[in-house]
Structures are given as C-alpha cells and as structure tokens.
Amino acid sequence: EVQLVESGGGSVQAGGSLNLSCEISGYIDSHYWSSYAMAWFRQAPGKEREGVAAIDTDGRTSYSDSVKGRFTLFKDNAKNTLLMRMISLKPDDTAMYYCAADPQTTELLSRYEYNNWGQGTQVTVSS
C-alpha cells in the first residue's frame, strides 16, 4: 500500500512563500518511487479539486496557469520526497493541498488519474 504524507502548510501573508513536502512510502508490486508520477492538487471550500503541479516519471514537470512561474517542483530521490516551493503567494492560493501519486498517468494534472492520495495540508494566504 502506497502512503503519502504531506507537510509544510501554514499561514502567510500575500507575497510570502511556503515549502510543501510529500513523502511517499510503500510500493505496489515492482513499482518503485521513481516510477510514480506525482502531483500536488488543491481544493478550496466550495470548489473542485484542481491540479497545480505534477512531475512525470521522466522528471518532466507541468504546472497550471494559475501557479506557473510561482510554484516549483523538486524531487528528492534520496528521501523519496516531492517538494513544492511556492513564492509570491496570493489569497487565491488558499486551499487544502493534497499530494497524489500513481504509476500510470496520461494527464498529469487530472485528479482522475491518481489512485493514491495524502490527507492534505492547509495553506492560508491573507491579504
């Protein structure tokens, strides 16, 4: 069973920065952490869960237009951890942020592509 544990959320003022971390453990069959596509999604109250950033098994990244240029993904293979650096945060970035992983994805930012999810970490940005 794959387990994902997020950390790093918090409250910041607009213009501030945060680093989110997602640690993956447990593997299915012969799939190792490096063979999982991983992504960050977020969900604000009353809104659908949306993909914000993802990295495929070849290390290629994809970002939503709303965060492009402000959020950056890093994969720490030694620690089986996916990091997301968020800068220039805006009140619209306020949401619960979820980490997701799956060994087979075609649309990296689609929530329907992922079968493994973390519990989420809250990010609140005040104006």
PDB file of all heavy atoms in Angstrom, residues 20-54:
ATOM      1  N   LEU A  20       6.087  23.010   0.550  1.00  0.00           N
ATOM      2  CA  LEU A  20       5.324  21.813   0.876  1.00  0.00           C
ATOM      3  C   LEU A  20       6.171  20.580   0.584  1.00  0.00           C
ATOM      4  O   LEU A  20       6.943  20.557  -0.376  1.00  0.00           O
ATOM      5  CB  LEU A  20       4.028  21.752   0.069  1.00  0.00           C
ATOM      6  CG  LEU A  20       3.047  22.903   0.254  1.00  0.00           C
ATOM      7  CD1 LEU A  20       1.753  22.607  -0.503  1.00  0.00           C
ATOM      8  CD2 LEU A  20       2.772  23.174   1.710  1.00  0.00           C
ATOM      9  N   SER A  21       5.967  19.571   1.393  1.00  0.00           N
ATOM     10  CA  SER A  21       6.712  18.326   1.238  1.00  0.00           C
ATOM     11  C   SER A  21       5.744  17.157   1.233  1.00  0.00           C
ATOM     12  O   SER A  21       4.763  17.151   1.970  1.00  0.00           O
ATOM     13  CB  SER A  21       7.715  18.186   2.386  1.00  0.00           C
ATOM     14  OG  SER A  21       8.414  16.978   2.304  1.00  0.00           O
ATOM     15  N   CYS A  22       6.028  16.172   0.396  1.00  0.00           N
ATOM     16  CA  CYS A  22       5.213  14.960   0.330  1.00  0.00           C
ATOM     17  C   CYS A  22       6.156  13.763   0.320  1.00  0.00           C
ATOM     18  O   CYS A  22       6.938  13.592  -0.613  1.00  0.00           O
ATOM     19  CB  CYS A  22       4.358  14.959  -0.923  1.00  0.00           C
ATOM     20  SG  CYS A  22       3.454  13.403  -1.183  1.00  0.00           S
ATOM     21  N   GLU A  23       6.058  12.961   1.356  1.00  0.00           N
ATOM     22  CA  GLU A  23       6.882  11.768   1.435  1.00  0.00           C
ATOM     23  C   GLU A  23       6.065  10.553   1.037  1.00  0.00           C
ATOM     24  O   GLU A  23       4.954  10.363   1.528  1.00  0.00           O
ATOM     25  CB  GLU A  23       7.439  11.575   2.848  1.00  0.00           C
ATOM     26  CG  GLU A  23       8.353  10.374   2.974  1.00  0.00           C
ATOM     27  CD  GLU A  23       8.960  10.250   4.353  1.00  0.00           C
ATOM     28  OE1 GLU A  23       8.711  11.126   5.193  1.00  0.00           O
ATOM     29  OE2 GLU A  23       9.678   9.251   4.585  1.00  0.00           O
ATOM     30  N   ILE A  24       6.613   9.752   0.158  1.00  0.00           N
ATOM     31  CA  ILE A  24       5.935   8.548  -0.305  1.00  0.00           C
ATOM     32  C   ILE A  24       6.609   7.316   0.287  1.00  0.00           C
ATOM     33  O   ILE A  24       7.826   7.240   0.357  1.00  0.00           O
ATOM     34  CB  ILE A  24       5.915   8.479  -1.849  1.00  0.00           C
ATOM     35  CG1 ILE A  24       5.114   7.281  -2.348  1.00  0.00           C
ATOM     36  CG2 ILE A  24       7.329   8.433  -2.415  1.00  0.00           C
ATOM     37  CD1 ILE A  24       4.892   7.273  -3.867  1.00  0.00           C
ATOM     38  N   SER A  25       5.807   6.372   0.727  1.00  0.00           N
ATOM     39  CA  SER A  25       6.342   5.121   1.255  1.00  0.00           C
ATOM     40  C   SER A  25       5.432   3.976   0.840  1.00  0.00           C
ATOM     41  O   SER A  25       4.273   4.191   0.495  1.00  0.00           O
ATOM     42  CB  SER A  25       6.457   5.179   2.784  1.00  0.00           C
ATOM     43  OG  SER A  25       5.186   5.354   3.368  1.00  0.00           O
ATOM     44  N   GLY A  26       5.979   2.770   0.874  1.00  0.00           N
ATOM     45  CA  GLY A  26       5.187   1.624   0.462  1.00  0.00           C
ATOM     46  C   GLY A  26       5.138   1.526  -1.040  1.00  0.00           C
ATOM     47  O   GLY A  26       5.009   2.527  -1.722  1.00  0.00           O
ATOM     48  N   TYR A  27       5.212   0.379  -1.568  1.00  0.00           N
ATOM     49  CA  TYR A  27       5.226   0.205  -3.012  1.00  0.00           C
ATOM     50  C   TYR A  27       4.296  -0.928  -3.430  1.00  0.00           C
ATOM     51  O   TYR A  27       4.039  -1.841  -2.667  1.00  0.00           O
ATOM     52  CB  TYR A  27       6.649  -0.091  -3.499  1.00  0.00           C
ATOM     53  CG  TYR A  27       7.638   0.945  -3.040  1.00  0.00           C
ATOM     54  CD1 TYR A  27       8.506   0.683  -1.994  1.00  0.00           C
ATOM     55  CD2 TYR A  27       7.669   2.200  -3.629  1.00  0.00           C
ATOM     56  CE1 TYR A  27       9.400   1.643  -1.564  1.00  0.00           C
ATOM     57  CE2 TYR A  27       8.561   3.162  -3.200  1.00  0.00           C
ATOM     58  CZ  TYR A  27       9.423   2.880  -2.168  1.00  0.00           C
ATOM     59  OH  TYR A  27      10.288   3.835  -1.738  1.00  0.00           O
ATOM     60  N   ILE A  28       3.812  -0.820  -4.635  1.00  0.00           N
ATOM     61  CA  ILE A  28       2.926  -1.825  -5.174  1.00  0.00           C
ATOM     62  C   ILE A  28       3.710  -2.663  -6.173  1.00  0.00           C
ATOM     63  O   ILE A  28       4.255  -2.137  -7.134  1.00  0.00           O
ATOM     64  CB  ILE A  28       1.716  -1.180  -5.866  1.00  0.00           C
ATOM     65  CG1 ILE A  28       0.911  -0.365  -4.848  1.00  0.00           C
ATOM     66  CG2 ILE A  28       0.858  -2.251  -6.516  1.00  0.00           C
ATOM     67  CD1 ILE A  28      -0.229   0.388  -5.462  1.00  0.00           C
ATOM     68  N   ASP A  29       3.761  -3.949  -5.927  1.00  0.00           N
ATOM     69  CA  ASP A  29       4.481  -4.862  -6.821  1.00  0.00           C
ATOM     70  C   ASP A  29       5.910  -4.371  -7.040  1.00  0.00           C
ATOM     71  O   ASP A  29       6.618  -4.104  -6.101  1.00  0.00           O
ATOM     72  CB  ASP A  29       3.717  -4.998  -8.139  1.00  0.00           C
ATOM     73  CG  ASP A  29       2.343  -5.601  -7.934  1.00  0.00           C
ATOM     74  OD1 ASP A  29       2.207  -6.422  -6.999  1.00  0.00           O
ATOM     75  OD2 ASP A  29       1.419  -5.279  -8.677  1.00  0.00           O
ATOM     76  N   SER A  30       6.310  -4.205  -8.267  1.00  0.00           N
ATOM     77  CA  SER A  30       7.681  -3.815  -8.573  1.00  0.00           C
ATOM     78  C   SER A  30       7.813  -2.324  -8.830  1.00  0.00           C
ATOM     79  O   SER A  30       8.871  -1.854  -9.233  1.00  0.00           O
ATOM     80  CB  SER A  30       8.177  -4.585  -9.802  1.00  0.00           C
ATOM     81  OG  SER A  30       7.369  -4.266 -10.913  1.00  0.00           O
ATOM     82  N   HIS A  31       6.754  -1.589  -8.546  1.00  0.00           N
ATOM     83  CA  HIS A  31       6.845  -0.156  -8.795  1.00  0.00           C
ATOM     84  C   HIS A  31       7.629   0.513  -7.678  1.00  0.00           C
ATOM     85  O   HIS A  31       7.289   0.391  -6.515  1.00  0.00           O
ATOM     86  CB  HIS A  31       5.443   0.463  -8.870  1.00  0.00           C
ATOM     87  CG  HIS A  31       4.690   0.067 -10.087  1.00  0.00           C
ATOM     88  ND1 HIS A  31       3.559  -0.698 -10.065  1.00  0.00           N
ATOM     89  CD2 HIS A  31       4.925   0.331 -11.386  1.00  0.00           C
ATOM     90  CE1 HIS A  31       3.131  -0.883 -11.286  1.00  0.00           C
ATOM     91  NE2 HIS A  31       3.920  -0.255 -12.115  1.00  0.00           N
ATOM     92  N   TYR A  32       8.645   1.200  -8.018  1.00  0.00           N
ATOM     93  CA  TYR A  32       9.397   1.960  -7.043  1.00  0.00           C
ATOM     94  C   TYR A  32       9.023   3.422  -7.155  1.00  0.00           C
ATOM     95  O   TYR A  32       8.409   3.861  -8.105  1.00  0.00           O
ATOM     96  CB  TYR A  32      10.900   1.740  -7.252  1.00  0.00           C
ATOM     97  CG  TYR A  32      11.322   0.327  -6.938  1.00  0.00           C
ATOM     98  CD1 TYR A  32      11.447  -0.615  -7.944  1.00  0.00           C
ATOM     99  CD2 TYR A  32      11.558  -0.070  -5.632  1.00  0.00           C
ATOM    100  CE1 TYR A  32      11.796  -1.911  -7.662  1.00  0.00           C
ATOM    101  CE2 TYR A  32      11.909  -1.376  -5.343  1.00  0.00           C
ATOM    102  CZ  TYR A  32      12.034  -2.288  -6.356  1.00  0.00           C
ATOM    103  OH  TYR A  32      12.376  -3.576  -6.062  1.00  0.00           O
ATOM    104  N   TRP A  33       9.434   4.158  -6.177  1.00  0.00           N
ATOM    105  CA  TRP A  33       9.041   5.549  -6.084  1.00  0.00           C
ATOM    106  C   TRP A  33       9.351   6.313  -7.361  1.00  0.00           C
ATOM    107  O   TRP A  33       8.604   7.159  -7.797  1.00  0.00           O
ATOM    108  CB  TRP A  33       9.713   6.147  -4.845  1.00  0.00           C
ATOM    109  CG  TRP A  33      10.588   7.317  -5.057  1.00  0.00           C
ATOM    110  CD1 TRP A  33      11.905   7.318  -5.384  1.00  0.00           C
ATOM    111  CD2 TRP A  33      10.194   8.671  -4.958  1.00  0.00           C
ATOM    112  NE1 TRP A  33      12.353   8.599  -5.470  1.00  0.00           N
ATOM    113  CE2 TRP A  33      11.319   9.453  -5.209  1.00  0.00           C
ATOM    114  CE3 TRP A  33       8.971   9.299  -4.667  1.00  0.00           C
ATOM    115  CZ2 TRP A  33      11.274  10.825  -5.185  1.00  0.00           C
ATOM    116  CZ3 TRP A  33       8.938  10.673  -4.633  1.00  0.00           C
ATOM    117  CH2 TRP A  33      10.078  11.421  -4.895  1.00  0.00           C
ATOM    118  N   SER A  34      10.455   5.979  -8.009  1.00  0.00           N
ATOM    119  CA  SER A  34      10.855   6.699  -9.207  1.00  0.00           C
ATOM    120  C   SER A  34       9.934   6.415 -10.385  1.00  0.00           C
ATOM    121  O   SER A  34       9.948   7.133 -11.376  1.00  0.00           O
ATOM    122  CB  SER A  34      12.300   6.356  -9.584  1.00  0.00           C
ATOM    123  OG  SER A  34      12.418   4.976  -9.847  1.00  0.00           O
ATOM    124  N   SER A  35       9.130   5.379 -10.302  1.00  0.00           N
ATOM    125  CA  SER A  35       8.234   5.042 -11.396  1.00  0.00           C
ATOM    126  C   SER A  35       6.828   5.594 -11.176  1.00  0.00           C
ATOM    127  O   SER A  35       5.906   5.247 -11.916  1.00  0.00           O
ATOM    128  CB  SER A  35       8.170   3.527 -11.574  1.00  0.00           C
ATOM    129  OG  SER A  35       7.582   2.926 -10.430  1.00  0.00           O
ATOM    130  N   TYR A  36       6.679   6.436 -10.172  1.00  0.00           N
ATOM    131  CA  TYR A  36       5.395   7.064  -9.906  1.00  0.00           C
ATOM    132  C   TYR A  36       5.393   8.497 -10.426  1.00  0.00           C
ATOM    133  O   TYR A  36       6.313   9.265 -10.156  1.00  0.00           O
ATOM    134  CB  TYR A  36       5.107   7.108  -8.404  1.00  0.00           C
ATOM    135  CG  TYR A  36       4.584   5.811  -7.843  1.00  0.00           C
ATOM    136  CD1 TYR A  36       5.450   4.796  -7.482  1.00  0.00           C
ATOM    137  CD2 TYR A  36       3.221   5.620  -7.677  1.00  0.00           C
ATOM    138  CE1 TYR A  36       4.973   3.608  -6.968  1.00  0.00           C
ATOM    139  CE2 TYR A  36       2.734   4.428  -7.160  1.00  0.00           C
ATOM    140  CZ  TYR A  36       3.611   3.437  -6.803  1.00  0.00           C
ATOM    141  OH  TYR A  36       3.128   2.264  -6.300  1.00  0.00           O
ATOM    142  N   ALA A  37       4.345   8.843 -11.156  1.00  0.00           N
ATOM    143  CA  ALA A  37       4.091  10.249 -11.407  1.00  0.00           C
ATOM    144  C   ALA A  37       3.514  10.823 -10.119  1.00  0.00           C
ATOM    145  O   ALA A  37       2.763  10.147  -9.415  1.00  0.00           O
ATOM    146  CB  ALA A  37       3.098  10.429 -12.546  1.00  0.00           C
ATOM    147  N   MET A  38       3.884  12.035  -9.794  1.00  0.00           N
ATOM    148  CA  MET A  38       3.400  12.650  -8.563  1.00  0.00           C
ATOM    149  C   MET A  38       2.914  14.060  -8.842  1.00  0.00           C
ATOM    150  O   MET A  38       3.388  14.723  -9.766  1.00  0.00           O
ATOM    151  CB  MET A  38       4.508  12.672  -7.509  1.00  0.00           C
ATOM    152  CG  MET A  38       4.956  11.291  -7.089  1.00  0.00           C
ATOM    153  SD  MET A  38       6.100  11.316  -5.701  1.00  0.00           S
ATOM    154  CE  MET A  38       4.989  11.803  -4.360  1.00  0.00           C
ATOM    155  N   ALA A  39       1.983  14.492  -8.019  1.00  0.00           N
ATOM    156  CA  ALA A  39       1.372  15.790  -8.270  1.00  0.00           C
ATOM    157  C   ALA A  39       0.864  16.412  -6.982  1.00  0.00           C
ATOM    158  O   ALA A  39       0.653  15.731  -5.981  1.00  0.00           O
ATOM    159  CB  ALA A  39       0.213  15.637  -9.251  1.00  0.00           C
ATOM    160  N   TRP A  40       0.685  17.708  -7.051  1.00  0.00           N
ATOM    161  CA  TRP A  40       0.006  18.463  -5.995  1.00  0.00           C
ATOM    162  C   TRP A  40      -1.318  18.972  -6.553  1.00  0.00           C
ATOM    163  O   TRP A  40      -1.371  19.542  -7.642  1.00  0.00           O
ATOM    164  CB  TRP A  40       0.854  19.640  -5.537  1.00  0.00           C
ATOM    165  CG  TRP A  40       2.005  19.251  -4.668  1.00  0.00           C
ATOM    166  CD1 TRP A  40       3.304  19.077  -5.045  1.00  0.00           C
ATOM    167  CD2 TRP A  40       1.968  19.004  -3.264  1.00  0.00           C
ATOM    168  NE1 TRP A  40       4.073  18.730  -3.973  1.00  0.00           N
ATOM    169  CE2 TRP A  40       3.274  18.685  -2.856  1.00  0.00           C
ATOM    170  CE3 TRP A  40       0.959  19.035  -2.305  1.00  0.00           C
ATOM    171  CZ2 TRP A  40       3.600  18.388  -1.531  1.00  0.00           C
ATOM    172  CZ3 TRP A  40       1.279  18.737  -0.992  1.00  0.00           C
ATOM    173  CH2 TRP A  40       2.585  18.411  -0.620  1.00  0.00           C
ATOM    174  N   PHE A  41      -2.347  18.757  -5.773  1.00  0.00           N
ATOM    175  CA  PHE A  41      -3.666  19.289  -6.075  1.00  0.00           C
ATOM    176  C   PHE A  41      -4.068  20.208  -4.926  1.00  0.00           C
ATOM    177  O   PHE A  41      -3.522  20.123  -3.832  1.00  0.00           O
ATOM    178  CB  PHE A  41      -4.686  18.159  -6.212  1.00  0.00           C
ATOM    179  CG  PHE A  41      -4.512  17.339  -7.453  1.00  0.00           C
ATOM    180  CD1 PHE A  41      -3.502  16.390  -7.535  1.00  0.00           C
ATOM    181  CD2 PHE A  41      -5.349  17.525  -8.540  1.00  0.00           C
ATOM    182  CE1 PHE A  41      -3.325  15.643  -8.694  1.00  0.00           C
ATOM    183  CE2 PHE A  41      -5.192  16.774  -9.701  1.00  0.00           C
ATOM    184  CZ  PHE A  41      -4.178  15.829  -9.768  1.00  0.00           C
ATOM    185  N   ARG A  42      -5.056  21.026  -5.176  1.00  0.00           N
ATOM    186  CA  ARG A  42      -5.583  21.856  -4.098  1.00  0.00           C
ATOM    187  C   ARG A  42      -7.093  21.970  -4.228  1.00  0.00           C
ATOM    188  O   ARG A  42      -7.647  21.860  -5.325  1.00  0.00           O
ATOM    189  CB  ARG A  42      -4.936  23.236  -4.096  1.00  0.00           C
ATOM    190  CG  ARG A  42      -5.292  24.111  -5.287  1.00  0.00           C
ATOM    191  CD  ARG A  42      -4.480  25.410  -5.233  1.00  0.00           C
ATOM    192  NE  ARG A  42      -4.806  26.305  -6.342  1.00  0.00           N
ATOM    193  CZ  ARG A  42      -4.147  27.421  -6.600  1.00  0.00           C
ATOM    194  NH1 ARG A  42      -3.108  27.788  -5.845  1.00  0.00           N
ATOM    195  NH2 ARG A  42      -4.506  28.183  -7.617  1.00  0.00           N
ATOM    196  N   GLN A  43      -7.709  22.178  -3.082  1.00  0.00           N
ATOM    197  CA  GLN A  43      -9.158  22.314  -3.072  1.00  0.00           C
ATOM    198  C   GLN A  43      -9.555  23.369  -2.064  1.00  0.00           C
ATOM    199  O   GLN A  43      -9.287  23.233  -0.865  1.00  0.00           O
ATOM    200  CB  GLN A  43      -9.824  20.984  -2.732  1.00  0.00           C
ATOM    201  CG  GLN A  43     -11.326  20.998  -2.883  1.00  0.00           C
ATOM    202  CD  GLN A  43     -11.922  19.608  -2.849  1.00  0.00           C
ATOM    203  OE1 GLN A  43     -11.305  18.656  -2.382  1.00  0.00           O
ATOM    204  NE2 GLN A  43     -13.135  19.479  -3.359  1.00  0.00           N
ATOM    205  N   ALA A  44     -10.178  24.408  -2.568  1.00  0.00           N
ATOM    206  CA  ALA A  44     -10.704  25.475  -1.719  1.00  0.00           C
ATOM    207  C   ALA A  44     -12.156  25.157  -1.392  1.00  0.00           C
ATOM    208  O   ALA A  44     -12.815  24.424  -2.134  1.00  0.00           O
ATOM    209  CB  ALA A  44     -10.585  26.815  -2.432  1.00  0.00           C
ATOM    210  N   PRO A  45     -12.673  25.689  -0.302  1.00  0.00           N
ATOM    211  CA  PRO A  45     -14.076  25.419   0.068  1.00  0.00           C
ATOM    212  C   PRO A  45     -15.030  25.770  -1.060  1.00  0.00           C
ATOM    213  O   PRO A  45     -14.963  26.860  -1.638  1.00  0.00           O
ATOM    214  CB  PRO A  45     -14.288  26.328   1.283  1.00  0.00           C
ATOM    215  CG  PRO A  45     -12.943  26.473   1.878  1.00  0.00           C
ATOM    216  CD  PRO A  45     -11.997  26.519   0.709  1.00  0.00           C
ATOM    217  N   GLY A  46     -15.906  24.826  -1.382  1.00  0.00           N
ATOM    218  CA  GLY A  46     -16.899  25.064  -2.413  1.00  0.00           C
ATOM    219  C   GLY A  46     -16.396  24.938  -3.835  1.00  0.00           C
ATOM    220  O   GLY A  46     -17.147  25.166  -4.785  1.00  0.00           O
ATOM    221  N   LYS A  47     -15.132  24.559  -3.980  1.00  0.00           N
ATOM    222  CA  LYS A  47     -14.561  24.429  -5.323  1.00  0.00           C
ATOM    223  C   LYS A  47     -14.094  23.003  -5.567  1.00  0.00           C
ATOM    224  O   LYS A  47     -13.874  22.235  -4.630  1.00  0.00           O
ATOM    225  CB  LYS A  47     -13.399  25.411  -5.503  1.00  0.00           C
ATOM    226  CG  LYS A  47     -13.817  26.872  -5.462  1.00  0.00           C
ATOM    227  CD  LYS A  47     -12.652  27.772  -5.822  1.00  0.00           C
ATOM    228  CE  LYS A  47     -13.086  29.231  -5.851  1.00  0.00           C
ATOM    229  NZ  LYS A  47     -11.959  30.129  -6.237  1.00  0.00           N
ATOM    230  N   GLU A  48     -13.913  22.674  -6.845  1.00  0.00           N
ATOM    231  CA  GLU A  48     -13.419  21.347  -7.187  1.00  0.00           C
ATOM    232  C   GLU A  48     -11.921  21.253  -6.935  1.00  0.00           C
ATOM    233  O   GLU A  48     -11.211  22.253  -6.932  1.00  0.00           O
ATOM    234  CB  GLU A  48     -13.713  21.051  -8.661  1.00  0.00           C
ATOM    235  CG  GLU A  48     -15.182  20.894  -8.967  1.00  0.00           C
ATOM    236  CD  GLU A  48     -15.425  20.420 -10.392  1.00  0.00           C
ATOM    237  OE1 GLU A  48     -14.452  20.342 -11.163  1.00  0.00           O
ATOM    238  OE2 GLU A  48     -16.579  20.128 -10.720  1.00  0.00           O
ATOM    239  N   ARG A  49     -11.474  20.033  -6.744  1.00  0.00           N
ATOM    240  CA  ARG A  49     -10.046  19.805  -6.578  1.00  0.00           C
ATOM    241  C   ARG A  49      -9.352  20.025  -7.926  1.00  0.00           C
ATOM    242  O   ARG A  49      -9.758  19.456  -8.929  1.00  0.00           O
ATOM    243  CB  ARG A  49      -9.795  18.396  -6.062  1.00  0.00           C
ATOM    244  CG  ARG A  49      -8.367  18.131  -5.648  1.00  0.00           C
ATOM    245  CD  ARG A  49      -8.228  16.804  -4.932  1.00  0.00           C
ATOM    246  NE  ARG A  49      -9.001  16.789  -3.687  1.00  0.00           N
ATOM    247  CZ  ARG A  49      -8.926  15.818  -2.776  1.00  0.00           C
ATOM    248  NH1 ARG A  49      -8.103  14.795  -2.963  1.00  0.00           N
ATOM    249  NH2 ARG A  49      -9.663  15.863  -1.694  1.00  0.00           N
ATOM    250  N   GLU A  50      -8.309  20.855  -7.917  1.00  0.00           N
ATOM    251  CA  GLU A  50      -7.616  21.168  -9.155  1.00  0.00           C
ATOM    252  C   GLU A  50      -6.139  20.819  -9.059  1.00  0.00           C
ATOM    253  O   GLU A  50      -5.518  20.950  -7.998  1.00  0.00           O
ATOM    254  CB  GLU A  50      -7.767  22.660  -9.493  1.00  0.00           C
ATOM    255  CG  GLU A  50      -7.159  23.599  -8.458  1.00  0.00           C
ATOM    256  CD  GLU A  50      -7.080  25.036  -8.946  1.00  0.00           C
ATOM    257  OE1 GLU A  50      -7.188  25.280 -10.160  1.00  0.00           O
ATOM    258  OE2 GLU A  50      -6.878  25.920  -8.082  1.00  0.00           O
ATOM    259  N   GLY A  51      -5.592  20.380 -10.169  1.00  0.00           N
ATOM    260  CA  GLY A  51      -4.173  20.085 -10.220  1.00  0.00           C
ATOM    261  C   GLY A  51      -3.385  21.365 -10.383  1.00  0.00           C
ATOM    262  O   GLY A  51      -3.734  22.206 -11.202  1.00  0.00           O
ATOM    263  N   VAL A  52      -2.306  21.514  -9.625  1.00  0.00           N
ATOM    264  CA  VAL A  52      -1.485  22.711  -9.734  1.00  0.00           C
ATOM    265  C   VAL A  52      -0.088  22.419 -10.261  1.00  0.00           C
ATOM    266  O   VAL A  52       0.486  23.225 -10.974  1.00  0.00           O
ATOM    267  CB  VAL A  52      -1.401  23.479  -8.399  1.00  0.00           C
ATOM    268  CG1 VAL A  52      -2.741  24.014  -8.000  1.00  0.00           C
ATOM    269  CG2 VAL A  52      -0.828  22.614  -7.289  1.00  0.00           C
ATOM    270  N   ALA A  53       0.457  21.262  -9.914  1.00  0.00           N
ATOM    271  CA  ALA A  53       1.813  20.945 -10.364  1.00  0.00           C
ATOM    272  C   ALA A  53       2.012  19.435 -10.344  1.00  0.00           C
ATOM    273  O   ALA A  53       1.494  18.762  -9.465  1.00  0.00           O
ATOM    274  CB  ALA A  53       2.848  21.626  -9.466  1.00  0.00           C
ATOM    275  N   ALA A  54       2.750  18.941 -11.327  1.00  0.00           N
ATOM    276  CA  ALA A  54       2.968  17.500 -11.403  1.00  0.00           C
ATOM    277  C   ALA A  54       4.308  17.211 -12.056  1.00  0.00           C
ATOM    278  O   ALA A  54       4.850  18.040 -12.802  1.00  0.00           O
ATOM    279  CB  ALA A  54       1.845  16.838 -12.187  1.00  0.00           C
TER     280      ALA A  54
END
